[in-house]
Amino acid sequence: LIGVFVVPRIIEPFKPMPLLAREATQLSQRDAPIGLLGRYGLSSLIYYSRHHVVALDGDDQTVMFLSTHPGAVCVMPMADFERLAPRLRGVDRIAVAEEFNVRIERLLERRRTPGRLWVLVGHAAVASTPARGPSKS
């Protein structure tokens, strides 16, 4: 019972995709897709954003996606963004989240295990747009 009900609730705040999906949903234009570099977290990003998500398979596809969709946002590992940043003019970090990571040997030593950083990026105009509230339609 603990593994089914308790552990998922404890770990949920440490997952990067729910946080980034909420940010992406608030900032992206309603009809603009959300990009995801790679496949990791695709189903979570779709689930939590309730938005169309485009799985991007490489650097060139990611640069093209952000160039042709100025109102869109994209989720990717921080290391990939740092590598691509020179090719992504006008694209800034919007939100950063750390992937939950556990190593038994570090738990026994009571040391934290750093997780991979994920970043939500978008054009400066998207990043500076205030978060939308609930629609009044």
Side-chain angles (χ1 to χ4, degrees), residues 69-137:
H69 297 92
V73 293
C74 187
V75 174
M76 64 184 74
M78 177 69 83
D80 291 334
F81 177 66
E82 289 170 348
R83 185 184 71 251
L84 288 173
R87 296 178 61 191
L88 298 171
R89 293 198 177 140
V91 174
D92 295 317
R93 290 185 300 179
I94 298 169
V96 177
E98 185 176 353
E99 190 174 284
F100 182 68
N101 192 356
V102 174
R103 298 274 188 259
I104 297 300
E105 64 276 4
R106 289 195 172 225
L107 279 177
L108 296 174
E109 297 170 359
R110 295 184 181 184
R111 292 188 331 179
R112 183 178 174 279
T113 305
R116 180 169 51 165
L117 291 178
W118 287 82
V119 63
L120 174 68
V121 301
H123 289 277
V126 174
S128 65
T129 302
R132 293 186 315 233
S135 65
K136 296 181 181 181
S137 49

Side-chain angles (χ1 to χ4, degrees), residues 7-22:
V7 172
R9 288 193 176 112
I10 291 172
I11 292 176
E12 186 70 23
F14 299 104
K15 292 181 181 178
M17 290 307 162
L19 169 74
L20 297 176
R22 285 189 291 273

Side-chain angles (χ1 to χ4, degrees), residues 8-86:
R9 288 193 176 112
I10 291 172
I11 292 176
E12 186 70 23
F14 299 104
K15 292 181 181 178
M17 290 307 162
L19 169 74
L20 297 176
R22 285 189 291 273
E23 290 287 327
T25 302
Q26 290 179 348
L27 294 173
S28 68
Q29 294 175 355
R30 216 173 267 279
D31 58 344
I34 296 171
L36 173 66
L37 178 54
R39 303 270 179 208
Y40 177 82
L42 179 63
S43 60
S44 293
L45 194 56
I46 292 169
Y47 176 80
Y48 289 107
S49 71
R50 306 229 185 266
H51 222 350
H52 176 65
V53 177
V54 176
L56 305 166
D57 290 322
D59 294 359
D60 292 336
Q61 197 174 12
T62 303
V63 171
M64 180 65 74
F65 173 81
L66 287 167
S67 299
T68 58
H69 297 92
V73 293
C74 187
V75 174
M76 64 184 74
M78 177 69 83
D80 291 334
F81 177 66
E82 289 170 348
R83 185 184 71 251
L84 288 173

